[in-house]
Amino acid sequence: MNLTDWIGFVGVSLILLAYILNVTNKISNTHVAFILLNFIGASSACLASILLNYWPFIILEGVWALVSLLTLFRYRKLK
């Protein structure tokens, strides 16, 4: 595996970890850890997709990261 693969692998793993923790009721989808895992994971997966020049996932992960970032800002305002 090259560096791009590792970046993508880590990103997708973080997104999956957030999902697994949520569906097993370990964290809620409003918990800051869930939001951060999604933001960091989607940003990493987006970066890997950019390095691969694969537009469908650049768009998917870019939007996912943006929504997570906006949610993080909203979460911070509420606290």
Side-chain angles (χ1 to χ4, degrees):
M1 284 184 25
N2 61 31
L3 181 60
T4 301
D5 294 331
W6 279 107
I7 293 169
F9 177 78
V10 169
V12 170
S13 296
L14 292 175
I15 293 169
L16 288 173
L17 177 61
Y19 177 73
I20 291 166
L21 290 173
N22 181 251
V23 298
T24 58
N25 294 316
K26 304 294 184 200
I27 59 175
S28 74
N29 63 349
T30 58
H31 193 280
V32 69
F34 179 83
I35 300 165
L36 282 171
L37 284 168
N38 273 289
F39 173 66
I40 295 167
S43 296
S44 298
C46 184
L47 174 59
S49 298
I50 290 168
L51 295 172
L52 293 170
N53 197 31
Y54 191 63
W55 279 98
F57 280 97
I58 292 171
I59 294 166
L60 174 69
E61 300 300 344
V63 170
W64 196 314
L66 181 61
V67 169
S68 297
L69 182 62
L70 294 173
T71 304
L72 188 59
F73 283 137
R74 190 175 66 210
Y75 176 86
R76 187 172 170 161
K77 274 185 165 180
L78 296 174
K79 295 294 173 181

